[in-house]
Amino acid sequence: MSYQPKSQFLHVMIERGFVAGCTDLEGLDAALLAGTVPAYIGYDATAQSLHVGHLLNIMMLRWLQKTGHKPLTLMGGGTTKVGDPSFRSDERPLLGPDQIAANIAGMKGVFAKYLTYGSGTSDALMLDNAEWLDGLNYLEFLRDIGRHFSVNRMLSFESVKSRIDREQSLSFLEFNYMILQAYDFLELNRRYGCLLQMGGSDQWGNIVNGIDLTRRVAENEIYGLTTPLLTTSDGRKMGKSSGGAIWLNSEMLSPYEFWQFWRNTTDADVERFAKLYTELPVEECARLGALEGSEINEAKIILANEVTGLCHGRKAAEAAHATAREVFEKGGVGEDLPTLTLPRSEAAEGVSIVQLIVRSGLAKSGKDAKRLIAEGGARMDDATITDPGLVVVAEALPLKLSAGRKRHAIIALEG
């Protein structure tokens, strides 16, 4: 990147690897130097928690606030009723208002860990686009906003074009999503002086639409900044594991499992992830990434402690680390491991080992569990399981199940 920004926020973003694209880097840099810049990222309420795939953008908002600017976290109470079609092969299932409200409530708790909300100059604001979208008059909206959009241009955006090229249905409802997101940017600029939208690079077309609309309607200059779409060094989508999404709410994924996800980072990703997901100095991130042999494992523990400390608090990170030491170094049963509790009535009749492996999250299906056993990767209390027909009865509980060397769960008895 030839242009060297002068603002602290852009310097941090570029140095730590957050930036994939910017609509006007010099213009944004000047705005950041001129005063406090309100900036937003939008989140549709499609689940009860955010996951690791959202963490890159949450860290951007955190750095924005740390460098003196104002984060706006926009909940998609309105746009969730439509669904973002970006780079999807099918239409999102439509959610009712009660489910959307419950999902928003779950997501709000995540942001409070990373941002300071309040009424100060750089305090974050929690907003919901249902405030201005739910009451829109359709004919007025078409006349005042819809006339600024070219269907030809909208069809050229990659997120839409990819669906059409694959001859996959794109409903008119979904096609309206990009207009609504553009309108969000305009409304945030009008109401809160918002000058910047940030998001993943798959949102580039939607962001540009909002900039163009705001320029046409309000004659204001605003900006867009996108992050790279991250995959791990072995090609997996960031935020996914064999057990499913890595959620940021402790009710959906225990702090220990969250910690273990980061502890299992591949060697090649340590430096990059430390720069993106922690606040360690860049020089320290580079030092950790350069370690080899057994020392790189210590670097992964530091990474796991730092990321977990931000998301769940230092005490939770320390407890997760202590549990890992208990399990791996001493062969014990850590108190913080994920636990499957069986009712006494069920345990009295006996439960198959294959069922327990699946229900504890160590395998996705019975077929996967049987394969794990056949390959010698399943253990019960550190003894290899060889019989997929094994039945576990109440008298054997509690016990520890393991899948490979790094994934464990406790099977306990109710009461």
Side-chain angles (χ1 to χ4, degrees):
M1 191 171 292
S2 57
Y3 179 75
Q4 298 300 316
K6 300 178 179 64
S7 62
Q8 187 183 2
F9 175 66
L10 280 182
H11 174 75
V12 170
M13 289 294 96
I14 292 170
E15 182 181 42
R16 299 185 80 96
F18 282 89
V19 179
C22 183
T23 56
D24 179 0
L25 196 62
E26 293 186 36
L28 175 58
D29 196 31
L32 289 161
L33 289 169
T36 302
V37 168
Y40 95 97
I41 298 177
Y43 300 86
D44 279 345
T46 53
Q48 290 185 349
S49 171
L50 299 168
H51 54 71
V52 163
H54 297 107
L55 193 51
L56 191 70
N57 288 336
I58 295 173
M59 289 300 294
M60 288 182 85
L61 291 171
R62 183 173 171 87
W63 281 112
L64 183 86
Q65 187 168 55
K66 285 171 69 73
T67 54
H69 301 284
K70 190 175 188 70
L72 308 176
T73 45
L74 182 65
M75 299 291 96
T79 43
T80 303
K81 297 169 186 173
V82 175
D84 184 359
S86 296
F87 296 94
R88 288 183 60 87
S89 59
D90 54 6
E91 188 171 351
R92 290 184 187 273
L94 297 181
L95 303 179
D98 291 343
Q99 185 62 60
I100 290 173
N103 289 351
I104 288 176
M107 293 164 64
K108 283 181 177 179
V110 174
F111 291 108
K113 303 171 186 176
Y114 291 89
L115 302 172
T116 300
Y117 287 87
S119 56
T121 303
S122 61
D123 284 346
L125 294 178
M126 179 72 69
L127 307 170
D128 187 339
N129 62 16
E131 181 183 341
W132 51 84
L133 293 181
D134 280 2
L136 285 178
N137 179 294
Y138 186 59
L139 291 179
E140 288 182 4
F141 184 72
L142 285 179
R143 182 193 64 202
D144 298 339
I145 302 300
R147 65 190 179 90
H148 294 292
F149 289 83
S150 162
V151 171
N152 304 58
R153 186 161 180 267
M154 292 164 74
L155 288 171
S156 73
F157 286 127
E158 187 60 33
S159 58
V160 174
K161 190 171 179 289
S162 61
R163 285 273 286 275
I164 295 173
D165 288 347
R166 294 194 300 266
E167 297 184 356
Q168 291 164 330
S169 175
L170 178 72
S171 72
F172 183 69
L173 181 69
E174 293 176 290
F175 196 59
N176 273 271
Y177 183 92
M178 62 182 72
I179 300 179
L180 296 177
Q181 185 171 324
Y183 186 67
D184 282 345
F185 205 171
L186 172 62
E187 280 297 312
L188 289 170
N189 179 255
R190 283 170 167 170
R191 295 170 183 237
Y192 303 98
C194 182
L195 296 181
L196 173 64
Q197 181 183 357
M198 301 185 291
S201 56
D202 59 335
Q203 294 298 314
W204 180 264
N206 291 334
I207 292 172
V208 169
N209 271 336
I211 292 170
D212 288 346
L213 178 65
T214 304
R215 186 182 295 124
R216 291 169 183 267
V217 175
E219 299 182 351
N220 290 336
E221 286 296 323
I222 54 178
Y223 309 95
L225 187 70
T226 58
T227 59
L229 294 178
L230 281 189
T231 57
T232 59
S233 59
D234 54 5
R236 288 180 291 112
K237 187 176 181 181
M238 186 59 190
K240 299 288 185 180
S241 74
S242 57
I246 305 301
W247 301 107
L248 303 184
N249 281 39
S250 59
E251 296 82 5
M252 296 180 68
L253 187 79
S254 73
Y256 173 80
E257 291 173 284
F258 183 81
W259 187 94
Q260 197 65 48
F261 170 80
W262 296 99
R263 169 62 182 81
N264 293 339
T265 297
T266 58
D267 295 2
D269 289 325
V270 169
E271 178 181 350
R272 182 168 58 131
F273 288 177
K275 287 179 177 177
L276 294 172
Y277 298 111
T278 82
E279 294 174 340
L280 293 171
V282 171
E283 298 76 19
E284 175 66 2
C285 297
R287 185 191 72 80
L288 293 174
L291 296 175
E292 297 178 349
S294 61
E295 290 184 330
I296 195 69
N297 290 327
E298 292 303 313
K300 293 176 185 180
I301 289 172
I302 292 172
L303 172 67
N305 285 342
E306 291 295 320
V307 182
T308 306
L310 282 173
C311 186
H312 296 295
R314 288 290 168 188
K315 287 185 178 179
E318 291 166 5
H321 188 191
T323 295
R325 280 201 307 269
E326 177 72 18
V327 171
F328 299 121
E329 296 175 17
K330 303 176 184 177
V333 177
E335 295 178 357
D336 206 26
L337 285 176
T339 300
L340 171 64
T341 303
L342 297 178
R344 287 185 177 274
S345 57
E346 182 182 11
E349 297 177 3
V351 184
S352 78
I353 193 67
V354 169
Q355 278 190 48
L356 293 178
I357 291 172
V358 174
R359 288 167 61 184
S360 63
L362 297 178
K364 288 184 177 180
S365 65
K367 184 178 179 181
D368 287 343
K370 289 176 182 177
R371 184 186 303 116
L372 184 70
I373 293 170
E375 294 173 351
R379 297 192 310 283
M380 183 169 68
D381 287 336
D382 298 320
T384 301
I385 301 168
T386 57
D387 179 11
L390 178 68
V391 174
V392 175
V393 294
E395 290 75 19
L397 303 179
L399 59 81
K400 179 177 72 172
L401 285 183
S402 304
R405 295 176 57 193
K406 298 180 178 180
R407 298 176 58 230
H408 310 270
I410 300 299
I411 310 300
L413 194 61
E414 186 179 61

